[in-house]
């Protein structure tokens, strides 16, 4: 009797597996072939079979190669903060850093709290090029955005004396900082100039 019951149980379990395994395989395949994208993010889809890259920047449902693809997610808007504590929403990522230590033109040293807001391009070719160089969102932030923001802040500070900065030069400093991030860093050269002769013109 016990042997008969055991056979029935094994038969029932085997029958259940025969029906369950194909359904599970179909479900996994469908799940792996569909990508649901959210607003505020860019997705790079890499087809590991062909090596092709596709970029999705709008929310929606997209099809991808099941089991043979890789999805990399990037924030479209990234905030990098040095020494500032701010509230972030879902479309930003905060990398909290210490204030940037700078040396002004008159050798004074100061610490500047500054916040940068970066917006990634929606151009597919630009996204593909960026992905090839940095591979993921964390590398992009650490190796490019944080590093460049800090370097540009330090370089911009060398164009001011400490007195100029702390006596009202902050707005001009911020303007030059943004200009250099968009257009490239200024090339500067220090020269010592000797004035041999100076005349005073009469004032009429």
């Amino acid at each position: 009797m016990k042997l008969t019951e055991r056979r029935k149980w094994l038969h029932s379990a085997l029958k259940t597996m025969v029906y369950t395994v194909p359904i599970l395989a179909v479900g996994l395949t469908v799940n792996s072939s569909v990508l649901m994208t959210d607003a505020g993010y860019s997705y790079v889809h890499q087809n590991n079979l062909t090596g092709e890259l596709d970029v999705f920047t709008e929310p929606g449902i997209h099809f991808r190669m099941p089991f043979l693809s890789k999805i990399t997610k990037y924030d479209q808007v990234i905030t990098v903060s040095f020494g500032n504590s701010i509230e972030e929403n879902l479309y930003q990522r905060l990398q909290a850093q210490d204030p940037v230590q700078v040396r002004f033109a008159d050798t004074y040293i100061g610490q500047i709290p500054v916040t940068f807001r970066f917006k990634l391009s929606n151009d597919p070719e630009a996204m593909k090029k960026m992905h090839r160089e940095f591979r993921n969102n964390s590398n992009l932030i650490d190796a490019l955005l944080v590093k460049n923001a800090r370097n540009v802040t330090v370089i911009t500070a060398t164009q001011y004396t400490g007195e100029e900065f702390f006596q009202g030069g902050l707005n001009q400093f911020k303007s030059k900082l943004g200009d250099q991030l968009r257009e490239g860093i200024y090339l500067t050269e220090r020269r010592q100039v000797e004035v041999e002769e100076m005349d005073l013109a009469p004032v009429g």
Side-chain angles (χ1 to χ4, degrees), residues 50-155:
T50 63
E52 293 182 359
L53 298 176
D54 296 311
V55 177
F56 306 117
T57 58
E58 298 296 330
I61 299 176
H62 310 275
F63 295 99
R64 60 171 177 162
M65 176 66 70
F67 307 114
L68 294 173
S69 62
K70 179 181 179 182
I71 302 298
T72 306
K73 183 177 174 182
Y74 291 93
D75 298 321
Q76 290 183 349
V77 177
I78 301 170
T79 299
V80 178
S81 181
F82 298 90
N84 285 333
S85 177
I86 60 176
E87 293 294 329
E88 292 295 299
N89 59 39
L90 294 176
Y91 303 104
Q92 300 173 332
R93 168 170 177 171
L94 178 66
Q95 286 285 309
Q97 306 282 335
D98 294 330
V100 181
Q101 181 169 305
V102 300
R103 183 183 296 273
F104 295 101
D106 52 5
T107 71
Y108 280 102
I109 295 176
Q111 290 189 330
I112 302 178
V114 60
T115 298
F116 298 87
R117 183 179 171 89
F118 298 95
K119 184 176 182 180
L120 300 188
S121 172
N122 286 332
D123 178 60
E125 294 305 316
M127 285 294 301
K128 291 177 185 178
K129 182 178 179 182
M130 182 193 72
H131 176 71
R132 289 188 181 100
E133 292 184 8
F134 299 101
R135 297 184 302 281
N136 59 59
N137 198 61
S138 296
N139 286 344
L140 173 68
I141 294 174
D142 297 334
L144 179 66
L145 302 185
V146 171
K147 183 178 179 181
N148 280 5
R150 186 186 297 274
N151 288 346
V152 171
T153 304
V154 171
I155 291 171

Side-chain angles (χ1 to χ4, degrees), residues 22-40:
I23 294 174
L24 184 61
V26 171
L28 289 174
T29 302
V30 171
N31 183 63
S32 181
S33 62
V34 175
L35 171 65
M36 300 182 66
T37 56
D38 297 323

